[in-house]
Amino acid sequence: MGDGVAVSLWRALSLCEIVNFQTLRRHLGRSRADTLVHDLVDHIARIEPDVRPAPTGRSQLELAFEADSAESATALVERLARAFTRAVDLDGERHLIQLRWGVAVAPVMDDDDVRLAEAAESALAQARAESRIVTLDLSRTDIAFDRLALMRELPRAITSGQLFLQYQPKVHVRKEAVVGAEALVRWRHPVRGLILPGDFISAAEEGGEIAGLTLWTLRQVIADQQVLAAHGYDMPVFINISGVLLADGAFVHEACRVIQESGAKIGFEITETAVIRDPESAIGHLQRLSEIGIPLAIDDYGAGLSSLAYLKQLPAAELKIDKMFVMQLTSSNRDPLIVRSTIDLAHALEMEVTAEGVETPAALALLSVMGCDMVQGFLISRPIALDAFIRFLDEDGHKAASAIRPTFARPEGFRRKSG
């Protein structure tokens, strides 16, 4: 490489999805279409050998790579996009594969893989709305929007239709069936584009708007859950409840009223750290929610200061292992021990276990051996809109996870933060 060795100062993660997947499936047939993503992986690896592509579903893949600037990362993806403007040979026939790209970049010293993955997901969602390649640079100060401005603008966003929901399916490992979904709220700002939940949720908490935001989410989820039931998918849908609200008697009363009147199957996800803020009020309100039949799940277990003292008091039927353990399951010596012991603990407390962040067949296989009950993650599906979720259910989309070849799992070093 000579004396002037280039040092890669940026990490990049791009999500790419096949826009015309349904059309291609009609031409190619279902079984051939389900392997199309592997053709893309091979094709991209030939065009850009330094890129590490990996399938994350039947019609989506991700590309991890390094670059010497945010601009060069975008330029690489633009080169790939141009390459796919020409038809690709598939089994002797030429087919045009239409692709959509979202890119997230961060300085190499920023080792928050979860934040990078969430930004790539947000970039792809924005790319869908704007029909162009979207890059989110996590080093830019304007990505972290002015919190005061967000507090002021959120009430209008709630009333003017700027918020929307996406759903991520939960698959039961042994039953091989979708048994529920998590609803995730998104904000598409008319000027700023897609705002990351990590920015506006905390702004809603600080600005006193979290109750209004959560009640909007609850009512929208109830309406959507009834649409799912009308299509033959009468499954529980879970929403995240802020710790601020667990001590708010007025919110709990209203939430109980709305759910009971609707008859919809709605569950709440709460974190242990939320309970620790005001244990007496929180546990009392959770008991009330449980008594009227609202299923409760403990979210992000292991991410904070998990306490067995509180865990045994919570009327939860489900425990969700934080994605940071699951994402490093096959590249770490300690994480499998933590995950296995957590599964055993939850089962001893008569709770089912969900693993979040399942992205590779190897992780899914290991979780199955460990006795994990349910899984969520990009291997199954990214968060998707309601109509796409219904299509996913109609097509048994979750069964494609078993067809993704383990040889294309993400390189071990990508998620590892230390040697």
Side-chain angles (χ1 to χ4, degrees):
M1 295 174 64
D3 293 332
V5 179
V7 178
S8 296
L9 299 177
W10 294 80
R11 299 187 311 141
L13 184 66
S14 174
L15 291 182
C16 166
E17 65 183 9
I18 305 171
V19 177
N20 59 334
F21 180 77
Q22 300 298 335
T23 302
L24 290 167
R25 194 173 73 163
R26 286 195 292 271
H27 287 292
L28 299 171
R30 180 169 182 167
S31 59
R32 179 63 181 92
D34 284 346
T35 64
L36 180 58
V37 69
H38 304 299
D39 295 270
L40 288 184
V41 165
D42 295 340
H43 202 60
I44 288 171
R46 286 194 296 271
I47 298 172
E48 295 286 347
D50 292 332
V51 168
R52 302 183 295 280
T56 56
R58 288 185 303 170
S59 60
Q60 187 181 88
L61 66 155
E62 67 177 32
L63 293 70
F65 59 97
E66 288 74 40
D68 56 12
S69 68
E71 291 74 20
S72 65
T74 303
L76 184 149
V77 172
E78 289 173 343
R79 288 197 301 272
L80 287 172
R82 284 195 297 271
F84 282 96
T85 58
R86 299 182 293 274
V88 175
D89 186 284
L90 297 174
D91 306 329
E93 294 184 357
R94 305 287 291 178
H95 292 274
L96 186 63
I97 303 176
Q98 298 171 354
L99 300 176
R100 183 181 288 121
W101 309 78
V103 190
V105 294
V108 91
M109 71 281 295
D110 180 352
D111 64 353
D112 190 338
D113 292 322
V114 172
R115 183 167 177 255
L116 187 67
E118 289 177 345
E121 177 193 332
S122 295
L124 182 60
Q126 191 170 334
R128 290 189 201 104
E130 300 177 10
S131 300
R132 66 180 181 89
I133 297 171
V134 172
T135 300
L136 292 181
D137 179 352
L138 295 183
S139 72
R140 286 171 45 188
T141 54
D142 59 344
I143 291 293
F145 300 118
D146 175 43
R147 198 169 298 275
L148 289 175
L150 289 180
M151 290 181 195
R152 289 193 301 269
E153 295 177 26
L154 185 55
R156 175 172 172 76
I158 294 172
T159 58
S160 64
Q162 295 175 26
L163 302 181
F164 64 100
L165 297 180
Q166 292 184 324
Y167 294 89
Q168 188 167 37
K170 293 163 67 173
V171 170
H172 198 284
V173 176
R174 292 185 299 281
K175 296 177 182 175
E176 296 186 354
V178 179
V179 293
E182 179 181 357
L184 299 158
V185 63
R186 304 288 190 249
W187 182 357
R188 186 178 291 116
H189 192 282
V191 176
R192 298 170 175 175
L194 199 70
I195 302 178
L196 297 174
D199 289 319
F200 72 83
I201 296 297
S202 56
E205 290 176 334
E206 292 178 22
E209 297 293 339
I210 192 63
L213 173 62
T214 306
L215 288 171
W216 175 89
T217 303
L218 177 59
R219 292 188 175 97
Q220 188 61 54
V221 167
I222 287 172
D224 289 352
Q225 198 272 337
Q226 292 170 341
V227 172
L228 284 171
H231 281 80
Y233 304 112
D234 193 15
M235 62 181 66
V237 178
F238 283 76
I239 68 174
N240 293 282
I241 301 297
S242 164
V244 174
L245 297 178
L246 284 186
D248 184 341
F251 167 81
V252 172
H253 175 79
E254 180 66 7
C256 289
R257 185 190 66 79
V258 170
I259 292 174
Q260 284 182 303
E261 288 182 359
S262 72
K265 293 183 178 178
I266 307 297
F268 287 172
E269 295 191 3
I270 51 101
T271 63
E272 279 189 290
T273 50
V275 176
I276 292 171
R277 294 184 182 194
D278 184 352
E280 186 174 348
S281 294
I283 292 172
H285 286 147
L286 290 172
Q287 291 285 2
R288 182 180 175 193
L289 294 169
S290 179
E291 286 167 2
I292 67 165
I294 298 175
L296 302 174
I298 299 171
D299 198 15
D300 300 334
Y301 185 79
L305 298 174
S306 300
S307 168
L308 294 178
Y310 292 121
L311 187 62
K312 69 179 183 179
Q313 296 182 61
L314 301 181
E318 179 185 341
L319 186 147
K320 302 185 75 174
I321 302 174
D322 188 74
K323 65 177 68 176
M324 71 178 179
F325 296 110
V326 178
M327 286 177 167
Q328 301 185 68
L329 196 57
T330 57
S331 60
S332 162
N333 293 325
R334 292 186 175 183
D335 287 343
L337 298 174
I338 294 171
V339 170
R340 179 58 187 266
S341 63
T342 301
I343 292 172
D344 291 343
L345 172 64
H347 286 167
L349 294 172
E350 299 182 339
M351 288 189 280
E352 288 194 301
V353 181
T354 298
E356 297 184 284
V358 178
E359 297 194 353
T360 66
L364 176 58
L366 189 53
L367 288 163
S368 178
V369 170
M370 290 177 174
C372 186
D373 301 291
M374 292 172 286
V375 292
Q376 267 182 270
F378 279 14
L379 181 67
I380 310 300
S381 171
R382 60 178 171 78
I384 49 181
L386 179 65
D387 57 347
F389 183 38
I390 292 171
R391 287 198 302 272
F392 176 90
L393 294 168
D394 287 341
E395 298 166 2
D396 285 335
H398 63 284
K399 294 184 179 178
S402 61
I404 299 176
R405 295 178 293 185
T407 50
F408 290 101
R410 176 185 287 107
E412 289 186 358
F414 182 72
R415 291 284 178 193
R416 188 182 301 168
K417 296 186 180 181
S418 61

